[in-house]
Amino acid sequence: MALLSRYGFLAIAVVFHVVYFLSIFDIYFVSPIVGGMRLFPPKGSAHAEAPADRLVLFVGDGLRADKAFQWFPEPYPQNADDLDPRPLAPFLRSRVLHHGTFGVSHTRVPTESRPGHVALIAGLYEDVSAVATGWKLNPVNFDSVFNRSRHTWSWGSPDILPMFQQGAVPGRVDAFTYGHEFEDFSQDPLELDYWVFNNIKDFFAEATRNETLNAALRQDKLVFFLHLLGIDTSGHAYRPYSKEYLNNIKVVDKGIQEITKLMEDFYGDGRTAFVFTADHGMSDWGSHGDGHPDNTRTPLVAWGSGVAAPVLQRGSVAAGHDEYSLEWKMDEVQRHDVAQADIAALMAYLIGTEFPANSVGELPLAYVSSDLRDKAEASLVNARQILEMYCVKEELKKSKEIRFRPYGPLSGENNTAERRLSDIRTLIDTASFEEAIEESAALVKTALEGMRYFQTYDWLFLRTLITVGYLGWMAYALTGIINIYVLGGEERPSRTLSGVTFFSAMLAMLYASFIISKAPLTYYAYAFFPVIFWEEVYARRHSIAIGRRILFGHVTSGSSIASILVSTTAYLGIVFSLAAGYVHRELLTLLYLLAIFWPLSYGTSFIKKNILVATIWALSCLSMSIFTLLPANKVENIDLIMAGGVLMLVIGVAYLALEDRILTSWSGECHGAIKPVGLPMSRALTGAQVGLVLLSVVVTRSSSLSLQAKQGVPRGNLVVGWAVLVISLLMPLAHRLQPNNHYMHRLMVMFLTCAPTFVILTISYEGLFYVAFSMLLVVWVNLEHKIYIFGRSKGDQVNDRVANKRQTLSGLQACRPLSLADARVALFFFVLLQSAFFSTGNVASVSSFSLESVYRLMPLFDPFWQGLLLVIKLMIPFTLISANLGILNKRLGVAPSALFMVVMAVSDLLTLYFFWVVRDEGSWLEIGSTISHFAIASLLCVFLALLEGVSAMFIAGVEVDNGMKQGGSLANVRVGRTGRLDVGEVAFSP
């Protein structure tokens, strides 16, 4: 095999998976923003004015609905009475019981600050890719309630306010923000909210002295926005059930009470409306982002001018309540739930502005106190605004389609939009207000379904195209594996004129349709890959036939066929059980328990000969089976952190003390000069790595205790922590000064390189997992090698004609061809790959990996660098896998990329499955989970290709015990074009 073929294959794998990962954003999550809509002014009865002159919007960032309304003991009790449960937000509770309307606002994924605020204030749900711009200025300008207002003043976070200021008419939105240095997770988050409340108090105090400001504040259509980040920060740092989080709710409630009184005293006209809500909730482990109900259910309380009074049902449970809200002790007050985008429509209506241009919110009439005529007029305007978006999308799609298929419910002579609007106007003019409201609501739903129709217009075609592409990739990968690693790359493609013509015509037809429909450039890539893949598979049909004869030539009897069928079924069963494992982590526990008995399948003679390795394997599998039974939602546990760190330290010290004995005993009969002893510089560097582990344990304990005491992270700890992290990761470069090429030494260097990082960035049992996982990998490599040698000695490998011979692959050292048994090795690797990700994390979303640990290195809020630190931690187990697989490749004598390529071909079975189950409708938990599952499965395939490069660097120059010495030479095999095996002898020194 030429080197170009090997690395070219990996490059194609990366490009293909990256491009096809983007497909979900062209299929499921296309941006809903379009332009060119007309705006419709609000209408009411002839004498009516806007329900309110001004509106105050309070957003308690990261506040869950249940925590806002539940009863708790005093977070910081002073006496026995404080232990009795009570509402932590008594002022908001008084608004619910006596002054306004309340409910639960249901958000969509991603449950992040940016998309949450966009839904609240602009009334539109950004596509899920908006999570990538969660803390950035808006890449696409969108209309908002702030932009519709006469003027908006806002106070709060510099990560939220500017995107609404810069996206509005210049000068219309004023934003007052604190500095980024305030967003320090090691400090008291209450200061963030105190800053907001104090600054708005100062603002109105200034208005009493500044006539210009006072005059501006006396106008109508004004909005005041208070972004309160303290609750979110408390939740991230201490979790939503902590006393810090609960106390922050009290502070926010008290601040809202003070601002409400300030506004009422300043204006004294009763023309102010108030809305309190949150952008998203928070999980029990202090994170958000996915579709878990704790992240998607937020409180909504509205009161003041234009807001309906509470609907009470004394002595019974009012409408709208369920088990979730019964414990709030407000079940006599009717609960009115809304979609988050509905809040934008409510705010626009209250101050009498046009609805934002891209708003899909439905005006929640239960929250407004207007009469039926005004409600009917407002409903009609709401319907006209949403219908306008439908019409723009219809025209846009019609202009691009060759054979346009209109949306049925809004097409035809009697169902046109104009006809239905005219019918509603007639109902209003004839005082049939309730019927008009019902018809407007029905028209809104129809228009939204129509927009959904155009949003999914190309789904069937694109999903089919992507499916054919994934199947083509798997077929192409397997064909390439057979051609390169079984046949030696000597079988040339066999193309025919008819075949080339057919595939060229298919590509030309697809591209022509894309040109006519003005499709995005990504569509061309989606079509290019399946055509190219399937053309290559067709051209290599002879290679497939020869490979089948080589790999399955021994399958001739009925029993052998049955054995292959059973093995294949079990193989696929394990692969798809991993898909179920994304939801039920316990399945990984079951797989590990079954793996304990794997060595027994080779008979008692193998067990007797390798009893020590088999025993260690069983203990390693048993220990790994525990982690997926432990809670994924972890809280900081310094004792477990220290236990993991000390265990790493003990292993390092033991290796230093026994290095010569360990390397000598693991050298075996390796052909070539291994130098297990006599490398003082290498030993000194290893000792330095052990010292770094010790230092990481000490500084992590100190930093954690300091953070728990709310004293922040001492500057010295930050310096030492960063120094340990960086130096430890650079230590492999220092080992090049006097390299020890023994593979066990290389593995120990890798273990000690990553150990300090895992100590510093762990919050619970992850360090213990790191030790157990590292041990399992080393034992796996040794056990696979012994099984391979055992099979050769018995002469009963699955493919005897291949296993006992070697072939010279062009451009590489002598390597044996792949056999069917190697598919099992690849399966084990794939299971370990999944375990590396899910053994310590929640399968629903990466958001479950708590940011709490990164505060020890970066207490200031910086999502990019904090996320990068977290990714480094997540990547460490994968790095260990790649290193061990590289060693295993050499010990089994296969080409470096061979097993990686087998796994890449097999793993896309999961990717394709998760692609088809991605949902953008249904419960937010289902939506968020399916997105996360596809992303993880798809990007793991990309990461596999990158890991191959890591593995290649790691094993460069490494010396292993292949255990297959045959008089100083090894059998070499070259597979000719006819499929015959030409046997020769070459010296082998891996």
Side-chain angles (χ1 to χ4, degrees):
M1 179 192 74
L3 288 175
L4 178 62
S5 300
R6 172 190 174 196
Y7 292 113
F9 181 93
L10 295 173
I12 291 172
V14 172
V15 173
F16 168 74
H17 284 94
V18 169
V19 170
Y20 265 47
F21 172 72
L22 298 176
S23 67
I24 64 169
F25 301 111
D26 277 329
I27 300 174
Y28 300 104
F29 309 113
V30 179
S31 175
I33 299 176
V34 293
M37 284 81 67
R38 296 173 295 169
L39 294 177
F40 302 95
K43 289 183 179 292
S45 58
H47 60 279
E49 59 180 348
D53 287 339
R54 65 201 70 89
L55 179 136
V56 183
L57 171 63
F58 303 97
V59 175
D61 200 308
L63 177 59
R64 285 165 42 164
D66 56 347
K67 300 301 181 184
F69 299 127
Q70 282 175 340
W71 291 39
F72 296 93
E74 176 66 33
Y76 296 97
Q78 301 294 324
N79 51 56
D81 292 339
D82 288 343
L83 299 179
D84 296 330
R86 78 282 307 281
L88 295 181
F91 177 75
L92 288 174
R93 183 179 180 84
S94 70
R95 304 301 97 180
V96 172
L97 296 176
H98 307 295
H99 299 279
T101 306
F102 96 109
V104 173
S105 168
H106 296 272
T107 74
R108 289 192 183 182
V109 288
T111 46
E112 294 288 352
S113 292
R114 174 199 162 85
H117 280 89
V118 170
L120 277 173
I121 299 167
L124 68 95
Y125 298 110
E126 291 188 295
D127 58 287
V128 176
S129 62
V131 70
T133 57
W135 300 272
K136 299 179 182 178
L137 295 179
N138 41 306
V140 177
N141 286 336
F142 48 78
D143 197 14
S144 70
V145 175
F146 295 174
N147 192 45
R148 294 292 108 210
S149 70
R150 190 180 306 279
H151 200 91
T152 294
W153 288 272
S154 55
W155 294 264
S157 168
D159 303 305
I160 295 298
L161 271 55
M163 69 180 179
F164 293 101
Q165 180 186 35
Q166 297 192 18
V169 174
R172 181 161 295 179
V173 178
D174 287 341
F176 305 97
T177 64
Y178 38 73
H180 283 284
E181 66 275 6
F182 270 70
E183 299 177 319
D184 188 340
F185 288 96
S186 66
Q187 303 301 320
D188 193 343
L190 297 177
E191 295 300 323
L192 299 173
D193 296 338
Y194 286 141
W195 187 97
V196 173
F197 293 134
N198 291 335
N199 273 266
I200 192 172
K201 292 174 184 176
D202 293 342
F203 176 80
F204 276 92
E206 174 65 21
T208 62
R209 302 184 296 268
N210 187 322
E211 293 184 3
T212 303
L213 177 58
N214 195 298
L217 292 174
R218 300 295 175 179
Q219 300 180 91
D220 62 354
K221 296 181 175 59
L222 302 182
V223 175
F224 302 91
F225 172 40
L226 283 71
H227 176 242
L228 306 168
L229 186 60
I231 295 176
D232 184 73
T233 307
S234 295
H236 285 312
Y238 305 107
R239 311 299 166 87
Y241 47 77
S242 66
K243 59 185 179 181
E244 290 84 2
Y245 185 91
L246 299 177
N247 186 57
N248 211 142
I249 296 175
K250 288 186 59 179
V251 170
V252 166
D253 182 72
K254 181 66 174 178
I256 292 174
Q257 181 179 15
E258 293 173 353
I259 298 306
T260 300
K261 185 176 186 305
L262 182 150
M263 300 289 285
E264 291 173 344
D265 291 345
F266 182 85
Y267 287 106
D269 58 3
R271 296 280 297 160
T272 307
F274 301 89
V275 173
F276 171 77
T277 187
D279 54 343
H280 54 74
M282 185 164 290
S283 67
D284 281 339
W285 52 98
S287 63
H288 51 82
D290 62 17
H292 193 280
D294 286 340
N295 293 332
T296 61
R297 292 185 294 208
T298 61
L300 173 61
V301 182
W303 69 96
S305 181
V307 178
V311 178
L312 302 177
Q313 295 182 19
R314 301 294 185 185
S316 63
V317 177
H321 285 279
D322 53 22
E323 292 184 4
Y324 179 65
S325 60
L326 287 180
E327 63 177 5
W328 301 346
K329 302 181 182 179
M330 299 189 299
D331 50 351
E332 291 185 346
V333 182
Q334 188 167 340
R335 168 182 153 188
H336 301 279
D337 286 12
V338 302
Q340 192 173 47
D342 297 346
I343 298 174
L346 172 63
M347 293 190 297
Y349 170 77
L350 288 174
I351 58 174
T353 69
E354 300 93 342
F355 296 106
N358 286 108
S359 172
V360 296
E362 301 178 55
L363 179 62
L365 296 178
Y367 280 77
V368 302
S369 61
S370 304
D371 59 28
L372 279 178
R373 173 179 284 278
D374 285 345
K375 288 183 177 181
E377 292 283 2
S379 296
L380 177 57
V381 175
N382 192 192
R384 286 174 62 87
Q385 174 261 324
I386 294 177
L387 197 60
E388 179 71 9
M389 275 192 293
Y390 165 83
C391 293
V392 169
K393 291 192 174 187
E394 181 186 44
E395 289 300 319
L396 187 63
K397 180 60 67 174
K398 186 185 298 185
S399 66
K400 294 180 178 180
E401 292 299 316
I402 302 174
R403 298 180 61 185
F404 176 72
R405 303 183 305 276
Y407 178 60
L410 287 175
S411 61
E413 184 177 349
N414 296 323
N415 288 323
T416 63
E418 293 78 8
R419 176 67 177 270
R420 296 188 65 170
L421 288 172
S422 176
D423 291 343
I424 296 173
R425 169 51 58 192
T426 300
L427 290 172
I428 295 176
D429 292 341
T430 58
S432 301
F433 303 129
E434 292 184 353
E435 290 184 51
I437 291 172
E438 291 176 0
E439 287 298 316
S440 294
L443 182 55
V444 165
K445 294 188 184 305
T446 301
L448 291 173
E449 291 169 358
M451 287 193 288
R452 170 74 179 169
Y453 170 78
F454 291 121
Q455 197 85 352
T456 62
Y457 191 88
D458 298 322
W459 269 28
L460 179 60
F461 168 74
L462 286 175
R463 289 167 110 181
T464 302
L465 185 62
I466 297 300
T467 299
V468 173
Y470 273 119
L471 293 174
W473 159 256
M474 287 185 278
Y476 169 77
L478 291 174
T479 302
I481 290 166
I482 291 173
N483 185 62
I484 297 172
Y485 297 113
V486 176
L487 306 184
E490 294 192 356
E491 184 67 30
R492 301 291 90 189
S494 178
R495 289 183 167 84
T496 63
L497 179 61
S498 59
V500 172
T501 301
F502 172 79
F503 288 105
S504 299
M506 288 294 296
L507 189 61
M509 290 173 57
L510 289 170
Y511 278 13
S513 67
F514 295 158
I515 292 172
I516 294 173
S517 62
K518 300 177 183 178
L521 291 177
T522 49
Y523 282 36
Y524 295 85
Y526 301 153
F528 175 79
F529 282 109
V531 172
I532 296 300
F533 287 156
W534 284 110
E535 192 280 332
E536 182 69 16
V537 171
Y538 178 75
R540 299 277 184 181
R541 58 194 180 279
H542 296 310
S543 297
I544 297 173
I546 296 172
R548 181 190 61 78
R549 290 198 296 271
I550 293 174
L551 293 174
F552 296 93
H554 65 290
V555 183
T556 54
S557 64
S559 60
S560 61
I561 293 174
S563 177
I564 286 292
L565 290 176
V566 171
S567 299
T568 302
T569 302
Y571 197 99
L572 294 176
I574 292 175
V575 171
F576 285 108
S577 72
L578 292 175
Y582 277 55
V583 178
H584 306 287
R585 298 169 68 233
E586 299 80 7
L587 283 172
L588 284 172
T589 294
L590 178 60
L591 291 179
Y592 274 120
L593 293 177
L594 291 175
I596 291 176
F597 304 99
W598 165 51
L600 296 175
S601 64
Y602 296 96
T604 56
S605 60
F606 174 81
I607 297 297
K608 290 179 180 179
K609 188 176 180 180
N610 301 282
I611 184 64
L612 179 60
V613 175
T615 301
I616 298 175
W617 167 259
L619 293 175
S620 298
C621 288
L622 186 62
S623 62
M624 283 297 298
S625 70
I626 296 173
F627 292 103
T628 43
L629 297 177
L630 297 177
N633 311 334
K634 300 177 288 294
V635 296
E636 187 175 58
N637 188 317
I638 296 180
D639 292 337
L640 287 178
I641 297 172
M642 293 299 101
V646 169
L647 198 53
M648 298 175 204
L649 188 63
V650 169
I651 292 173
V653 172
Y655 177 78
L656 275 178
L658 304 173
E659 180 179 7
D660 292 349
R661 184 180 302 178
I662 292 173
L663 297 189
T664 301
S665 64
W666 285 74
S667 295
E669 300 179 1
C670 180
H671 182 76
I674 288 185
K675 301 176 181 178
V677 294
L679 299 175
M681 181 178 293
S682 176
R683 179 169 295 184
L685 291 172
T686 305
Q689 288 186 284
V690 175
L692 289 172
V693 175
L694 175 61
L695 196 55
S696 69
V697 171
V698 174
V699 75
T700 298
R701 177 177 174 79
S702 175
S703 297
S704 296
L705 291 175
S706 182
L707 284 169
Q708 288 182 1
K710 298 183 182 178
Q711 296 174 353
V713 182
R715 185 172 297 275
N717 286 31
L718 287 175
V719 173
V720 174
W722 275 106
V724 171
L725 180 72
V726 174
I727 293 173
S728 64
L729 294 177
L730 295 177
M731 286 302 292
L733 299 179
H735 276 276
R736 292 187 178 184
L737 297 174
Q738 191 179 62
N740 186 332
N741 291 329
H742 194 289
Y743 73 96
M744 278 301 297
H745 182 79
R746 288 282 189 91
L747 291 176
M748 180 55 66
V749 168
M750 180 64 71
F751 174 82
L752 294 175
T753 294
C754 301
T757 303
F758 235 83
V759 172
I760 295 173
L761 297 180
T762 192
I763 63 171
S764 184
Y765 58 79
E766 302 101 298
L768 297 173
F769 159 77
Y770 176 74
V771 173
F773 192 62
S774 300
M775 181 180 297
L776 177 74
L777 290 174
V778 173
V779 177
W780 173 58
V781 169
N782 196 38
L783 186 57
E784 286 283 10
H785 178 246
K786 291 186 178 297
I787 288 172
Y788 179 61
I789 299 303
F790 180 75
R792 286 177 59 82
S793 66
K794 291 178 63 67
D796 59 358
Q797 286 283 74
V798 174
N799 191 345
D800 208 32
R801 294 186 300 166
V802 174
N804 288 315
K805 299 174 174 62
R806 290 181 174 269
Q807 66 184 73
T808 300
L809 300 180
S810 176
L812 291 179
Q813 62 193 17
C815 298
R816 70 169 176 83
L818 290 177
S819 68
L820 288 181
D822 295 313
R824 177 191 46 75
V825 179
L827 179 63
F828 267 83
F829 173 69
F830 189 46
V831 172
L832 290 170
L833 197 71
Q834 304 295 318
S835 177
F837 188 82
F838 293 128
S839 288
T840 61
N842 188 328
V843 298
S845 170
V846 181
S847 71
S848 66
F849 293 95
S850 173
L851 289 173
E852 188 173 353
S853 59
V854 303
Y855 302 155
R856 301 166 193 156
L857 294 177
M858 187 168 290
L860 291 179
F861 179 66
D862 191 323
F864 176 79
W865 289 107
Q866 289 177 330
L868 182 60
L869 285 173
L870 191 56
V871 168
I872 290 173
K873 174 188 173 184
L874 297 180
M875 292 302 103
I876 286 176
F878 297 114
T879 305
L880 294 178
I881 292 176
S882 69
N884 282 271
L885 186 65
I887 295 295
L888 182 59
N889 278 338
K890 300 204 77 172
R891 299 198 78 188
L892 297 183
V894 299
S897 302
L899 295 179
F900 279 103
M901 292 184 181
V902 175
V903 176
M904 277 190 284
V906 172
S907 63
D908 272 326
L909 289 171
L910 289 188
T911 308
L912 186 57
Y913 167 77
F914 286 129
F915 170 79
W916 273 95
V917 299
V918 170
R919 301 183 61 178
D920 67 339
E921 289 186 312
S923 76
W924 304 132
L925 176 60
E926 293 171 332
I927 296 171
S929 297
T930 58
I931 296 168
S932 298
H933 293 167
F934 174 76
I936 292 169
S938 183
L939 294 179
L940 278 181
C941 296
V942 177
F943 194 59
L944 272 172
L946 302 179
L947 283 180
E948 201 282 334
V950 173
S951 176
M953 290 189 295
F954 177 81
I955 65 174
V958 73
E959 296 170 336
V960 301
D961 171 17
N962 58 72
M964 295 178 291
K965 187 176 179 182
Q966 300 175 4
S969 63
L970 289 171
N972 175 69
V973 60
R974 179 185 298 276
V975 181
R977 297 184 64 182
T978 61
R980 297 181 59 188
L981 303 177
D982 303 321
V983 181
E985 295 287 328
V986 297
F988 178 57
S989 178

